[in-house]
Amino acid sequence: MFKNISLTLKIFVFTLLIGTVVWIILDYIQGKDIQQLLFAELTEELEIHAKEDRTIFDRYIQSHNQATKLIISQQRFQTYVSNSKLDNQGIKHHYRLPSWLPTSSVVRTFFFARFAILIDNDGIVREIYHHFPEELPQTLKKPSALLQKLSHNQSYMTTIEEMPYIISSRHFKDNEGQTVATLMLASPIDDEFLIDANGSFSRDGVVVTLLDGEASRIIASSDPDLLPTNTLVETLEKIYIKTGASFFDYGASDIDAQFASFMRIERAYHLSNKIIKKSYEQRAFFAVVLILSFVLLTVWIAQRIKSVTKQVVVFSRESLGLNIQYSGDEVARIVTSFQQLRDSIKGTIERATAIAMGNYNYQAEHYSEQDQLGRALTDMNHTLQSQTQELLNHQEELRQTNDALNDLNNKLEQRVIERTGQLAKANQEITELNERLKAENIRMGAELDITRRLQQMVLPSKKELDDIEELDIAGFMEPAEEVGGDYYDVLEQDEHIKIGIGDVTGHGLESGVLMLMVQTAVRTLLTSHINNPEDFLSILNRTIYNNIQRMNTDKNLTLSLLDYHKGVLNLTGQHEEVLVVRKNAHVERISTVHLGFMVGVIPNIAHVVSHLEIKLHQGDGIVLYTDGITEARNLKNKFYGIERLCEIISHQWHLSALEIKQMIIDDVRQHIGEQKVFDDITLLILKQK
């Protein structure tokens, strides 16, 4: 009975049964897995965001010290303090920008403090600028000498009148080194401060907070409407996810507080339920579509099988005279039909083989009067007999034609010999011309090679880089023209490894000559044992500035110098961002804007030069580059970009420095494609072993 059931019905029942079992198991397992995976991913992402928020807050704190440095260096401030005597008639309050602060455009960019305080050389407050119309604490109206000392040249965090404050101060001195005045910037670390610090980096649903030392209550919040000040942390444990809790680690801070981020737990449950519901709907849809498609496919196949079976039966009856008998479903029927048809065709093949072997007298047997194939074989046998005689006649005709073709071939060979002589003479003339062109190309190639070698000779060799035991180093430089303006060097001096990278404006001969000057000056200063980074960069700038004036050119360059010694890297000078890559492939972007100034523009840059210390551990490293990589454009005029560079570095950091370098260069060239290269490309990879 089961054998005679339709093939379509059999497949439909099995598909429905197996699909239902798989559905129940998959729905039970997948729902739990999706919820657990989402919570784990969300927690990990929140930890990463919390670290980023902390980094942004740290930079915002440090920017106060940078702001004092910028204001002191402004001509407006120096002119006001030098040419006017500070009023001794009490404190002067300003609610609009005073003349000793920068212009409003500069203030909007760099000035973040709530109060700007001008102190005379006796340590007495003379003028106060209020960013908002609020009262300055009494402690800051009469700042102690200790407070001024602790906040000098740094961002100092302390508690004033039960409120955390960030304070930075800097002295302005005359030509004789005497302090003329002191600028102090102060801001309370409250909700407003935390909101300004996050700025455009705030994330939907995430609240950044400042907690007291015991992490028991909130003392500042980036969303005071959602989590107001003085909220107890223990009341939030059941409804919020807390991440990124860490103490401040500033050396110049006496505040006992923590930095933490909060996100509502119900948001995570809401996301997981939406995903599970969407997954359920998709599975239901695809299950219905799959079952219907499979059933329709089965019906179509069954119909095709029926059609083929019918054609086999008709062909067997009309062409071979067979009467096929079968039973069962569609597949059983076509199998039965094929077996009976196979036996019939096998006998026919035996008869056809005898005729093919030349037995034209073989008498083919017919199965019945309807055996068309048997009659066709008999007719074919008669036709082959007559065609054999015709072939013998054609063979004689072909022999005669072959004799005529031999005579024609002899004549053609003679003409080929004559034409070959003419071609040999022409080939000799072409060979002589090629030799002259080859000699000219060799001469021009030698001139171009000398030009390129002048650029490459000053670069560190592979052996020099391999001899440095502490670091795995790989470098690359490719000029946009025969002579480029990019510079990099790696030198080992007194157990210190000196690294330099720079980019001269433009490219070509003048840029290349200036690059050689920088390389020579750097080596000279290192040989002279000038190790102080500020002095080093200031002397180098003065030398290059004088040469640029003599050359009567407008060229200049950005230049960063790095000093590596036993895992500590000191960075100075203004160039592109320095990419610090940790062992776990996390990339930190270090700005060099506040570490120096462009070399060769002004004669003295000592007042704007500073340095930054970076600690490297085993597996950590740095990536240095010029804008020829980040500003490389394709045919659609799209830049390669710093984000793409950071992404490929992170993905390939497990490789060696040489392999990482090659991966980056290949990716940049793939991005450029057939576009012309507009700028020199320089890249330096350093990994601590």
Side-chain angles (χ1 to χ4, degrees):
M1 177 179 178
F2 182 77
K3 179 180 178 182
N4 294 324
I5 296 176
S6 170
L7 179 64
T8 303
L9 183 58
K10 291 178 182 177
I11 294 178
F12 177 77
V13 172
F14 280 119
T15 302
L16 190 61
L17 179 61
I18 295 173
T20 302
V21 174
V22 172
W23 172 282
I24 295 172
I25 296 174
L26 185 63
D27 186 65
Y28 176 76
I29 296 175
Q30 193 176 34
K32 288 187 175 180
D33 290 346
I34 289 176
Q35 191 174 69
Q36 293 175 358
L37 180 62
L38 180 63
F39 269 70
E41 289 292 330
L42 185 59
T43 302
E44 182 178 354
E45 182 179 356
L46 286 176
E47 285 290 345
I48 294 173
H49 289 333
K51 293 179 181 178
E52 293 175 353
D53 292 336
R54 170 63 189 276
T55 301
I56 294 168
F57 184 78
D58 291 349
R59 291 177 180 173
Y60 190 77
I61 291 291
Q62 296 170 359
S63 66
H64 280 65
N65 183 41
Q66 295 292 334
T68 61
K69 181 178 180 180
L70 174 67
I71 295 172
I72 289 293
S73 64
Q74 291 287 310
Q75 188 65 36
R76 289 165 58 94
F77 182 87
Q78 297 177 6
T79 301
Y80 180 85
V81 174
S82 300
N83 297 338
S84 62
K85 296 182 179 179
L86 297 179
D87 189 3
N88 296 325
Q89 301 301 319
I91 300 176
K92 183 186 295 183
H93 294 269
H94 301 276
Y95 296 94
R96 294 186 177 181
L97 284 175
S99 59
W100 44 273
L101 284 179
T103 60
S104 58
S105 60
V106 177
V107 168
R108 284 194 300 269
T109 306
F110 297 100
F111 186 55
F112 310 104
R114 200 81 63 86
F115 302 100
I117 306 168
L118 190 59
I119 305 172
D120 63 14
N121 57 355
D122 294 325
I124 300 175
V125 175
R126 294 303 183 188
E127 297 187 26
I128 301 174
Y129 167 67
H130 302 257
H131 189 63
F132 293 113
E134 57 182 303
E135 188 64 25
L136 183 70
Q138 192 64 31
T139 303
L140 293 178
K141 290 182 180 180
K142 295 181 180 180
S144 64
L146 177 61
L147 180 60
Q148 295 184 45
K149 181 178 180 180
L150 292 175
S151 64
H152 180 59
N153 288 346
Q154 62 182 343
S155 296
Y156 174 62
M157 300 175 63
T158 186
T159 302
I160 297 177
E161 297 182 5
E162 299 183 356
M163 173 65 72
Y165 266 78
I166 174 70
I167 302 173
S168 297
S169 64
R170 192 175 293 267
H171 299 318
F172 173 69
K173 299 182 179 181
D174 56 18
N175 295 332
E176 297 178 355
Q178 298 297 321
T179 300
V180 177
T182 300
L183 174 66
M184 177 180 288
L185 301 182
S187 294
I189 305 178
D190 53 10
D191 295 343
E192 187 72 27
F193 186 89
L194 211 54
I195 293 171
D196 290 341
N198 281 307
S200 60
F201 296 97
S202 60
R203 298 177 177 87
D204 183 30
V206 179
V207 182
V208 179
T209 64
L210 193 64
L211 310 180
D212 60 9
E214 297 179 354
S216 61
R217 65 182 183 88
I218 296 173
I219 59 177
S221 170
S222 65
D223 192 345
D225 294 332
L226 190 61
L227 292 179
T229 304
N230 293 322
T231 300
L232 296 179
V233 175
E234 63 181 10
T235 63
L236 306 176
E237 293 178 352
K238 295 183 179 180
I239 57 176
Y240 280 91
I241 299 174
K242 177 185 175 185
T243 59
S246 60
F247 283 93
F248 289 113
D249 53 4
Y250 294 107
S253 174
D254 56 13
I255 292 180
D256 187 15
Q258 295 190 42
F259 191 87
S261 299
F262 290 88
M263 178 180 178
R264 293 187 70 89
I265 295 178
E266 66 179 18
R267 183 166 180 259
Y269 279 109
H270 178 69
L271 290 174
S272 64
N273 291 336
K274 287 179 63 178
I275 294 175
I276 293 173
K277 181 180 179 181
K278 189 65 177 180
S279 174
Y280 178 85
E281 293 174 353
Q282 291 178 349
R283 287 202 307 273
F285 174 76
F286 284 118
V288 172
V289 171
L290 184 62
I291 292 174
L292 291 178
S293 300
F294 202 72
V295 170
L296 291 176
L297 179 62
T298 304
V299 172
W300 180 79
I301 292 174
Q303 293 300 321
R304 297 289 293 176
I305 292 175
K306 288 180 180 179
S307 176
V308 171
T309 304
K310 182 178 180 181
Q311 293 177 19
V312 170
V313 172
V314 172
F315 173 79
S316 301
R317 183 175 62 251
E318 295 180 353
S319 298
L320 301 178
L322 298 176
N323 186 16
I324 297 176
Q325 302 294 328
Y326 52 79
S327 63
D329 60 24
E330 290 85 349
V331 175
R333 292 177 182 180
I334 195 171
V335 170
T336 303
S337 301
F338 174 77
Q339 290 174 344
Q340 297 182 27
L341 184 60
R342 179 193 60 188
D343 295 338
S344 174
I345 293 176
K346 184 176 181 180
T348 303
I349 290 174
E350 292 177 355
R351 297 194 296 272
T353 301
I355 295 173
M357 296 297 293
N359 188 5
Y360 300 138
N361 296 322
Y362 183 86
Q363 298 297 323
E365 297 180 359
H366 301 167
Y367 285 102
S368 65
E369 291 298 328
Q370 290 79 21
D371 188 359
Q372 297 180 13
L373 182 59
R375 290 199 303 272
L377 286 173
T378 301
D379 295 340
M380 182 181 69
N381 187 32
H382 295 158
T383 302
L384 288 173
Q385 290 177 354
S386 61
Q387 287 181 348
T388 300
Q389 185 59 42
E390 291 180 0
L391 287 173
L392 293 175
N393 297 333
H394 288 319
Q395 185 177 5
E396 178 60 23
E397 294 177 358
L398 289 173
R399 186 189 64 77
Q400 296 175 2
T401 302
N402 184 61
D403 292 340
L405 288 174
N406 287 333
D407 293 339
L408 179 61
N409 184 54
N410 293 333
K411 295 178 181 179
L412 287 174
E413 287 180 354
Q414 184 61 34
R415 294 184 64 183
V416 167
I417 293 173
E418 295 174 355
R419 179 63 67 181
T420 301
Q422 296 173 358
L423 290 174
K425 182 178 179 181
N427 183 63
Q428 183 178 0
E429 294 175 355
I430 293 173
T431 301
E432 293 175 354
L433 179 60
N434 285 336
E435 291 295 329
R436 292 196 298 270
L437 290 174
K438 183 178 179 181
E440 182 66 17
N441 286 336
I442 292 174
R443 183 187 64 80
M444 295 177 65
E447 293 177 357
L448 289 175
D449 186 61
I450 291 172
T451 303
R452 296 188 190 98
R453 289 180 63 189
L454 286 174
Q455 182 75 61
Q456 296 294 328
M457 285 172 63
V458 298
L459 297 178
S461 66
K462 185 177 185 302
K463 183 178 183 305
E464 289 179 85
L465 300 181
D466 293 341
D467 289 342
I468 298 176
E469 297 180 354
E470 294 186 47
L471 297 175
D472 179 15
I473 306 176
F476 176 86
M477 188 178 81
E478 180 177 87
E481 297 181 355
E482 286 79 9
V483 180
D486 278 3
Y487 157 77
Y488 83 87
D489 206 349
V490 180
L491 304 169
E492 191 168 16
Q493 179 83 17
D494 299 330
E495 296 185 352
H496 286 251
I497 300 171
K498 306 290 185 176
I499 304 112
I501 186 167
D503 184 4
V504 181
T505 54
H507 41 81
L509 182 59
E510 283 189 350
S511 298
V513 170
L514 187 56
M515 185 275 278
L516 291 174
M517 292 179 184
V518 172
Q519 196 273 347
T520 302
V522 169
R523 278 188 173 266
T524 302
L525 291 171
L526 288 177
T527 305
S528 301
H529 301 286
I530 297 177
N531 294 320
N532 183 276
E534 287 85 356
D535 294 341
F536 193 102
L537 195 59
S538 298
I539 296 173
L540 176 66
N541 173 76
R542 195 157 53 243
T543 302
I544 299 303
Y545 175 82
N546 292 334
N547 280 352
I548 288 175
Q549 298 303 309
R550 175 174 288 180
M551 291 168 62
N552 193 23
T553 180
D554 59 350
K555 299 290 185 181
N556 57 75
L557 72 151
T558 59
L559 177 65
S560 283
L561 298 173
L562 300 91
D563 180 280
Y564 174 86
H565 180 63
K566 295 183 178 179
V568 178
L569 191 70
N570 278 291
L571 169 65
T572 186
Q574 184 185 96
H575 185 59
E576 302 295 325
E577 293 181 356
V578 173
L579 304 181
V580 178
V581 190
R582 298 303 177 185
K583 182 178 180 180
N584 61 1
H586 176 68
V587 180
E588 301 174 5
R589 295 168 54 182
I590 306 298
S591 174
T592 62
V593 173
H594 303 298
L595 300 181
F597 198 74
M598 290 180 292
V599 175
V601 177
I602 58 177
N604 185 11
I605 62 172
H607 61 286
V608 293
V609 175
S610 61
H611 73 278
L612 176 66
E613 183 178 284
I614 302 172
K615 292 184 179 179
L616 298 180
H617 303 284
Q618 184 179 10
D620 294 349
I622 61 171
V623 177
L624 306 174
Y625 61 94
T626 61
D627 59 6
I629 290 181
T630 55
E631 295 181 7
R633 290 179 287 181
N634 57 16
L635 291 175
K636 296 182 180 179
N637 211 30
K638 180 181 178 181
F639 289 116
Y640 183 82
I642 183 66
E643 291 79 9
R644 181 167 175 175
L645 176 60
C646 292
E647 182 179 1
I648 192 171
I649 291 171
S650 178
H651 289 168
Q652 308 298 335
W653 192 245
H654 62 282
L655 302 175
S656 66
L658 184 62
E659 292 171 324
I660 297 171
K661 178 210 74 175
Q662 193 59 46
M663 287 288 186
I664 295 173
I665 297 304
D666 290 346
D667 192 56
V668 172
R669 285 174 174 162
Q670 181 182 6
H671 173 78
I672 295 173
E674 298 179 359
Q675 175 66 282
K676 176 183 177 182
V677 178
F678 294 99
D679 199 1
D680 307 327
I681 295 176
T682 300
L683 178 67
L684 191 60
I685 310 291
L686 299 96
K687 290 186 69 175
Q688 181 161 295
K689 296 180 181 179

